[in-house]
Amino acid sequence: MSPNTQLLQKIDTIKGVGPKMSAHLAKLGLEKIQDLLFHLPLRYQDRTRIYPIADLRHGQEVLIEGKVDHCSILFKQRRMMVCQISDASGGVITLRFFHFSNAQKLSLSRGTLLRCFGEIYQGYNSLEIVHPEYKIINKNTPLALADSLTPTYPSTKGLQQRTLRRLTTEAIRYIDGLDEVFPESLRRQYKLMTLAEALIALHQPTPESSVEQLLSTSHPAQQRLIFEELTAHHLSLRKFREYSRKINGIPLLSKDVLYQQLLDSLPFQLTGAQQRVITELKHDMQQAWPMSRLVQGDVGSGKTLVAAAAALTAIEAGYQVALMVPTEILAEQHLKSFSEWFEPLGLRVSLLSGRQKAAERRDNIENIALGLSNLVIGTHALFQDAVTFKQLGLLIIDEQHRFGVHQRLALREKGKQGDLYPHQLVMTATPIPRTLAMTAYADMDYSVIDELPPGRTPIKTVVIQNTRRDDIVQRIDAVCQQGAQVYWVCTLIEESDALQCQNAEETLALLQEALPKLNIGLVHGRMSALEKESTMQSFKQGDLHLLVATTVIEVGVDVPNASLMIIENAERLGLAQLHQLRGRVGRGTAASSCVLMYQSPLSQIARKRLNALRNSNDGFEIARIDLEIRGPGEVFGTRQTGELQFRIADLLRDQQLLPSIQNASEVIIKKYPEKIQPLIDRWIKTAEDYVHA
Ligand code: ADP
Ligand code: MG
């Protein structure tokens, strides 16, 4: 059998792989032998050398050898075995076991030579390893050292690292059969090694390979794969974009009568940036293919009005508009703003909420189907099966930084009527550098509202230890006396909703006691939609001075009279989230401030984060610092860029490659179009279903 066909065989053709193991492997998406090659290590262990115990530091994961000084069983909170070993370097380390047998204890007698592997931990008195892997060394048969770094793979319960290593070694035997799809001329231009070289270097790194390089993903082998993966993603998004041009949209023509009426009713003028973006949207919506545009604007830049302008264009042309938001609170708020703007124009705005009473919901659904509603606002409940639109011309997705290409395409499919697709507008406050947007969102066009409405005073941010709570409470009192309003944000690291809410309720009680003259409200995730709505409404109307809230108010909430925000345990939140939260103040003309309260001691990173926020109000600048603080070595969540699932690349970390990726993709499209599909097939598993072209 040729190596190529061998790679395409099922993994269970390898000796020793039975149905049970196959099932485990399938959970990891590993079916063909070739899949093993692309199942890349998460980390590496260095078992190629033995570290002197005296040189060890907390956090290292290393191999050591030493003689047992003593070993005893202790009864502290629980029964444990503690064994101290030392080596010629003069260093001493404690091995701690909570599970052990009597035989084990007996085998660790004084003078026994051990080789141990594990993570070094700074204990109370000395360095420790808890439950090290260890072997007793027999002087006559010394143990060998590994001759390459040991990879650790993403795995699943019941599947051992040893097994994955063995299977990968097997797969590498057939690596000559791997197709090198990346064009050679580009490989030369960007000095990239071959795919086979790169994969071998990552699965079986030589002892000379720098662990640091591998861990920080800066090894040339990793760079090679990152380059190819990013190119594949870019090409696939470009393909979606091309497909969008080939399907039918609805050319929306309007004379801007409604739009003009809206402008006349506003107490302010649109900023230049808002006007520019609105023009871009209108232009897109006149085309015979569906618009797909991302509008990015920092918190408070006035995205809602831009959405309103686009909506009016569609409505005047005779079509319905849907506005989808991530939270019920935001849906309620938009219902209010849009009703205020649109009802005087004789238009009907309705809300679809997952928590509405059955009768109300039925009415709404009927109004939508009959075309009586011009604008429909809601969470994802909007696209449930029961809802049929009359003539959906435009779909707006607000504040969805976690909204992926698949979801965008799926929604567009759902909004399809006959063979006409609705236009799509995605709005986000997440700062995305231009090159990044052009790669990560290459299926969409991209606009930036790069200007804040005039008259805003920058938010002043202070960082304060939580022992000064009393001062802050006094400050709240003073601010409210002057007629302004205040948010108090409770954060808890626990995922548990219940705990979050309990914490917010306790905070409410404390503040009520400390500030008896103020009206204080509470919103959290466990309240009913109605309770949340009425509290938000009271706050917006100014009936409440102070609003205690969990991070449910993170996105979109707009109460311009609120000018002070206190964030408790700010050190627990990420920079992006803090910036979003803080954006709830500074939305009016009054000078606003944000107090970041922390619990001492602060870690280095937390301190840097809070300082960054204190020093800047600019979302782009904050995103840049976030990247710097995290450092290139860390694996990022996909929260920031939202969506694309990569095997090895990371859009933020690998930003500097993006211009080259765009360039390489151009070359492939022009000169090697036959390589596009193989590249996409290799790196991207799903999503192709949306392209019927
Ligand atoms: P975001 O971009 O964060 O969604 P919003 O659309 O909620 O921002 O707008 C923030 C606030 O600024 C709102 O109260 C809105 O009415 C107001 N606003 C929007 N555009 C302007 C403008 N051109 N001039 C003054 N205020 C504006
Ligand atoms: Mg908004």
Side-chain angles (χ1 to χ4, degrees):
M1 210 181 288
S2 82
N4 188 352
T5 37
Q6 195 69 41
L7 280 176
L8 299 178
Q9 298 288 307
K10 287 265 167 67
I11 299 179
D12 63 11
T13 57
I14 297 178
K15 223 175 75 196
V17 181
K20 206 162 153 200
M21 199 186 285
S22 294
H24 287 315
L25 291 165
K27 265 197 215 150
L28 298 171
L30 304 176
E31 279 159 11
K32 291 182 228 134
I33 294 183
Q34 173 167 312
D35 298 337
L36 289 163
L37 294 175
F38 288 93
H39 190 61
L40 299 172
L42 270 181
R43 295 185 292 127
Y44 294 90
Q45 294 173 343
D46 186 356
R47 294 171 190 255
T48 64
R49 58 194 171 127
I50 290 167
Y51 265 72
I53 295 178
D55 294 350
L56 295 179
R57 277 176 290 125
H58 172 85
Q60 280 176 316
E61 199 181 24
V62 289
L63 207 54
I64 54 174
E65 263 182 30
K67 277 198 180 127
V68 174
D69 299 328
H70 58 77
C71 177
S72 46
I73 294 176
L74 303 180
F75 293 90
K76 296 251 169 124
Q77 291 96 333
R78 54 196 281 207
R79 186 166 169 268
M80 62 181 84
M81 176 170 80
V82 170
C83 175
Q84 183 186 302
I85 65 169
S86 56
D87 69 1
S89 71
V92 184
I93 188 163
T94 303
L95 313 177
R96 196 180 294 271
F97 300 83
F98 297 105
H99 309 281
F100 55 93
S101 65
N102 231 6
Q104 226 176 336
K105 159 84 174 65
L106 292 174
S107 70
L108 296 175
S109 58
R110 187 180 161 84
T112 308
L113 191 56
L114 297 182
R115 179 181 290 181
C116 312
F117 185 86
E119 189 176 333
I120 310 297
Y121 164 80
Q122 180 63 60
Y124 195 64
N125 289 316
S126 68
L127 292 174
E128 297 189 355
I129 307 180
V130 177
H131 279 282
E133 281 173 43
Y134 75 91
K135 277 190 188 138
I136 294 175
I137 303 179
N138 182 333
K139 288 213 179 66
N140 304 322
T141 48
L143 293 173
L145 288 169
D147 53 13
S148 63
L149 296 175
T150 313
T152 305
Y153 293 96
S155 187
T156 176
K157 203 165 161 231
L159 189 61
Q160 291 190 331
Q161 290 294 328
R162 255 194 326 195
T163 311
L164 280 167
R165 281 178 212 135
R166 178 172 73 78
L167 293 177
T168 308
T169 307
E170 193 68 21
I172 286 176
R173 287 180 41 205
Y174 309 112
I175 204 162
D176 288 344
L178 196 63
D179 274 340
E180 173 69 72
V181 265
F182 209 74
E184 202 195 322
S185 70
L186 286 171
R187 260 187 9 240
R188 252 183 286 121
Q189 182 180 349
Y190 292 106
K191 302 195 175 53
L192 303 172
M193 51 172 85
T194 67
L195 185 61
E197 284 165 348
L199 290 172
I200 292 173
L202 294 181
H203 287 297
Q204 300 176 334
T206 56
E208 297 79 58
S209 322
S210 140
V211 187
E212 253 96 301
Q213 248 190 6
L214 284 170
L215 291 180
S216 65
T217 343
S218 54
H219 191 281
Q222 290 163 318
Q223 291 293 307
R224 160 68 172 91
L225 296 183
I226 290 170
F227 203 101
E228 183 171 317
E229 184 174 32
L230 285 173
T231 305
H233 272 272
H234 187 68
L235 288 170
S236 121
L237 291 172
R238 292 274 294 254
K239 204 175 126 185
F240 287 135
R241 183 192 169 90
E242 233 168 74
Y243 167 69
S244 298
R245 295 277 150 110
K246 287 188 200 134
I247 58 181
N248 296 319
I250 308 157
L252 296 175
L253 303 169
S254 94
K255 296 216 166 72
D256 287 348
V257 178
L258 294 174
Y259 174 52
Q260 203 52 54
Q261 281 176 346
L262 172 70
L263 292 187
D264 292 344
S265 73
L266 293 176
F268 48 73
Q269 297 214 311
L270 295 185
T271 63
Q274 282 170 315
Q275 288 173 25
R276 174 173 47 75
V277 173
I278 290 170
T279 310
E280 286 166 353
L281 294 174
K282 288 191 168 157
H283 174 265
D284 283 4
M285 291 190 293
Q286 286 169 8
Q287 310 308 315
W289 60 83
M291 161 171 87
S292 179
R293 189 173 279 273
L294 176 68
V295 170
Q296 196 268 313
D298 210 342
V299 278
S301 60
K303 291 185 289 296
T304 321
L305 269 170
V306 169
L312 289 180
T313 301
I315 293 170
E316 194 171 312
Y319 288 85
Q320 235 169 11
V321 177
L323 169 57
M324 193 170 100
V325 294
T327 65
E328 302 263 346
I329 287 187
L330 193 47
E332 296 287 349
Q333 177 188 291
H334 277 341
L335 174 71
K336 188 157 176 293
S337 316
F338 281 90
S339 302
E340 271 166 28
W341 292 330
F342 285 13
E343 274 165 10
L345 310 180
L347 306 178
R348 186 136 157 199
V349 182
S350 58
L351 175 77
L352 256 196
S353 143
R355 305 192 196 175
Q356 270 164 346
K357 291 224 175 64
E360 189 183 356
R361 196 174 148 71
R362 213 176 320 114
D363 272 2
N364 281 334
I365 290 181
E366 200 174 295
N367 286 338
I368 296 168
L370 291 173
L372 297 174
S373 299
N374 302 99
L375 171 66
V376 189
I377 301 174
T379 59
H380 53 274
L382 267 184
F383 286 89
Q384 279 165 2
D385 292 337
V387 186
T388 41
F389 292 92
K390 170 79 172 157
Q391 272 199 302
L392 189 63
L394 170 65
L395 168 60
I396 304 170
I397 303 163
D398 189 19
E399 300 287 6
Q400 290 278 30
H401 38 282
R402 270 170 273 191
F403 215 65
V405 60
H406 308 151
Q407 288 153 304
R408 289 198 291 277
L409 294 169
L411 274 191
R412 189 166 75 185
E413 284 298 323
K414 282 201 169 167
K416 181 179 170 189
Q417 336 227 337
D419 67 343
L420 293 181
Y421 287 85
H423 298 283
Q424 219 174 59
L425 163 61
V426 180
M427 301 196 295
T428 175
T430 308
I432 312 154
R434 189 163 197 96
T435 47
L436 203 151
M438 287 173 67
T439 313
Y441 301 98
D443 60 316
M444 293 193 277
D445 293 298
Y446 173 68
S447 305
V448 194
I449 310 180
D450 51 4
E451 186 183 349
L452 290 180
R456 301 265 170 92
T457 9
I459 305 165
K460 184 171 183 312
T461 301
V462 290
V463 179
I464 286 181
Q465 199 178 332
N466 59 5
T467 48
R468 291 181 51 199
R469 223 181 154 101
D470 290 347
D471 297 350
I472 296 168
V473 169
Q474 286 195 353
R475 168 117 174 255
I476 295 176
D477 206 16
V479 166
C480 292
Q481 298 293 342
Q482 287 161 19
Q485 289 169 280
V486 181
Y487 293 102
W488 183 293
V489 184
C490 304
T491 64
L492 267 190
I493 194 103
E494 285 84 359
E495 283 297 303
S496 146
D497 221 20
L499 275 177
Q500 295 237 12
C501 302
Q502 185 194 338
N503 172 255
E505 271 159 11
E506 284 164 12
T507 306
L508 172 74
L510 286 174
L511 289 171
Q512 269 169 338
E513 196 177 323
L515 297 162
K517 280 185 290 188
L518 299 188
N519 294 331
I520 311 179
L522 173 69
V523 281
H524 61 56
R526 291 214 147 184
M527 291 164 62
S528 73
L530 200 68
E531 283 174 295
K532 273 192 271 187
E533 182 196 335
S534 76
T535 308
M536 285 311 299
Q537 192 61 20
S538 314
F539 189 61
K540 192 147 192 174
Q541 281 166 4
D543 300 339
L544 294 174
H545 300 104
L546 173 58
L547 183 68
V548 177
T550 57
T551 49
V552 291
I553 59 155
E554 178 183 345
V555 289
V557 169
D558 182 48
V559 180
N561 189 47
S563 62
L564 173 61
M565 169 173 279
I566 289 100
I567 305 179
E568 261 190 301
N569 301 315
E571 77 277 10
R572 291 174 175 175
L573 301 183
L575 261 181
Q577 199 178 5
L578 285 168
H579 179 61
Q580 273 287 338
L581 270 172
R582 179 175 64 175
R584 299 310 115 218
V585 295
R587 302 173 83 84
T589 44
S592 295
S593 22
C594 177
V595 177
L596 303 175
M597 237 190 328
Y598 67 89
Q599 159 92 47
S600 189
L602 268 187
S603 74
Q604 276 260 328
I605 288 189
R607 183 177 302 277
K608 280 189 188 161
R609 271 203 197 118
L610 298 184
N611 283 341
L613 217 64
R614 182 175 60 198
N615 297 333
S616 176
N617 273 309
D618 174 352
F620 277 100
E621 173 68 7
I622 289 171
R624 191 187 60 73
I625 295 171
D626 200 18
L627 180 69
E628 212 174 84
I629 295 176
R630 295 183 199 198
E634 231 175 290
V635 183
F636 290 5
T638 42
R639 186 184 152 86
Q640 298 238 343
T641 38
E643 49 174 61
L644 300 176
Q645 291 296 319
F646 293 103
R647 292 202 220 162
I648 179 164
D650 179 299
L651 276 174
L652 287 174
R653 183 195 64 207
D654 304 323
Q655 265 184 74
Q656 83 292 344
L657 287 179
L658 298 180
S660 309
I661 301 293
Q662 279 183 39
N663 179 45
S665 303
E666 291 302 338
V667 174
I668 293 175
I669 290 169
K670 289 214 183 76
K671 288 208 202 146
Y672 310 97
E674 76 285 359
K675 304 280 189 193
I676 295 176
Q677 204 52 46
L679 275 170
I680 294 177
D681 290 345
R682 167 165 289 162
W683 291 95
I684 300 155
K685 288 217 157 96
T686 51
E688 292 287 294
D689 320 348
Y690 297 107
V691 182
H692 312 292

